[in-house]
Amino acid sequence: MTDIVITDVNKMPNLRVFYEKTGRAKYISHLDINRCMQRALRRAEIPVWYTEGFNPHPYTTFALPLSLGFESLCETMDMRITRVMGCQEVADRLNAALPEGLVVKRVALQKNKPEKIRRADYIIRMDFEDCGPEEALTRLESFDRLEAIPVMKRTKKGMKETDIRPDVILSNPCVEEGFLKLNLCCAAGIEKNINPTLYLEAFAQEAGLEIQTVHVLRIAVLMENGQPFE
């Protein structure tokens, strides 16, 4: 990791914390993740900058909140500190203060704004109550050839039927260790954000299947050019 080389704290840039959320931590909601990170910052004695105004609070922002129950290898949190610290020191201090399942992989200077996020990649494993994985794979391949995938999606104006066909790309479906495994690349970001469970639920309904267990792992957050969000 590269240390920050800045002597004027008034020009301190934002830091971006790259972390994983796995295991039991997947059951921590986004709101509680925010609280958890703020408590960890205090325990780690990291001099985080506080917002000004009537109700000052630590400045932390999260680019693409993760759905409850999902795991991720590519979460990010932005923050600002009030004195120069090395990125490695920030990472080490946070890791010593975070609970099991939350692991900081690196800390770097913020490069891109969250507005540049366009897609997210997921690895999904699931099985079904009334169907083996081989049969489910055959039905999935047939389902993915549909020209339209209408789903009910929550919007600012309430529930609305939306065709997610242009916003979801299926790749590498296979059977692995008794599970149906697949990769989904979904539209993500401020302009449009597609939860992969919309596709999974539409598939189960179309195929007449009952999903028994599902494991969702986010492996990448991408910008318009296909480059990782950093």
Side-chain angles (χ1 to χ4, degrees):
M1 297 185 187
T2 303
D3 281 357
I4 309 169
V5 183
I6 294 177
T7 57
D8 184 357
V9 295
N10 293 318
K11 297 180 181 180
M12 186 70 68
N14 287 352
L15 294 182
R16 180 157 289 157
V17 178
F18 297 84
Y19 68 97
E20 296 180 355
K21 181 185 180 187
T22 59
R24 291 186 297 177
K26 69 181 180 180
Y27 298 114
I28 304 176
S29 70
H30 174 62
L31 181 60
D32 286 335
I33 280 289
N34 198 339
R35 294 168 179 160
C36 177
M37 285 295 187
Q38 291 185 8
R39 288 195 297 268
L41 288 168
R42 289 194 295 269
R43 286 197 297 268
E45 298 183 343
I46 294 175
V48 64
W49 178 77
Y50 275 67
T51 61
E52 299 174 354
F54 181 75
N55 183 30
H57 57 274
Y59 172 78
T60 54
T61 61
F62 299 80
L64 194 64
L66 191 68
S67 295
L68 184 67
F70 287 12
E71 293 184 292
S72 176
L73 304 179
C74 53
E75 295 304 281
T76 61
M77 176 185 71
D78 293 348
M79 66 179 186
R80 188 178 302 165
I81 55 179
T82 58
R83 67 175 174 82
V84 176
M85 290 182 68
C87 290
Q88 183 66 58
E89 181 182 0
V90 173
D92 291 344
R93 287 192 180 198
L94 271 176
N95 276 328
L98 286 170
E100 178 185 350
L102 296 176
V103 179
V104 174
K105 304 306 291 184
R106 65 187 178 98
V107 176
L109 298 182
Q110 175 186 312
K111 291 184 179 180
N112 300 292
K113 297 292 186 180
E115 289 80 1
K116 291 192 175 183
I117 294 174
R118 291 293 181 273
R119 306 195 74 83
D121 285 347
Y122 301 87
I123 294 177
I124 298 167
R125 291 179 173 85
M126 54 184 177
D127 61 1
F128 306 87
E129 291 187 357
D130 46 5
C131 179
E134 291 81 6
E135 176 61 25
L137 174 60
T138 300
R139 298 189 192 186
L140 175 65
E141 291 170 337
S142 176
F143 170 77
D144 196 62
R145 289 193 289 269
L146 295 176
E147 294 183 1
I149 303 178
V151 301
M152 296 303 295
K153 188 176 184 298
R154 187 178 300 280
T155 68
K156 293 180 179 179
K157 297 182 179 180
M159 299 300 291
K160 179 182 178 182
E161 185 173 272
T162 303
D163 179 16
I164 63 171
R165 173 70 285 173
D167 304 313
V168 180
I169 300 173
L170 171 70
S171 61
N172 303 320
C174 65
V175 175
E176 184 179 277
E177 298 179 350
F179 289 87
L180 175 60
K181 178 186 174 184
L182 57 141
N183 290 54
L184 281 184
C185 182
C186 301
I190 294 176
E191 295 181 2
K192 185 180 291 187
N193 193 40
I194 301 299
N195 190 311
T197 57
L198 291 174
Y199 179 94
L200 303 180
E201 290 169 358
F203 160 60
Q205 182 176 0
E206 176 71 19
L209 298 175
E210 186 75 26
I211 297 176
Q212 181 167 279
T213 58
V214 60
H215 174 262
V216 181
L217 174 68
R218 184 153 72 189
I219 59 172
V221 175
L222 308 170
M223 299 185 294
E224 190 171 17
N225 58 7
Q227 294 297 310
F229 172 68
E230 295 187 340

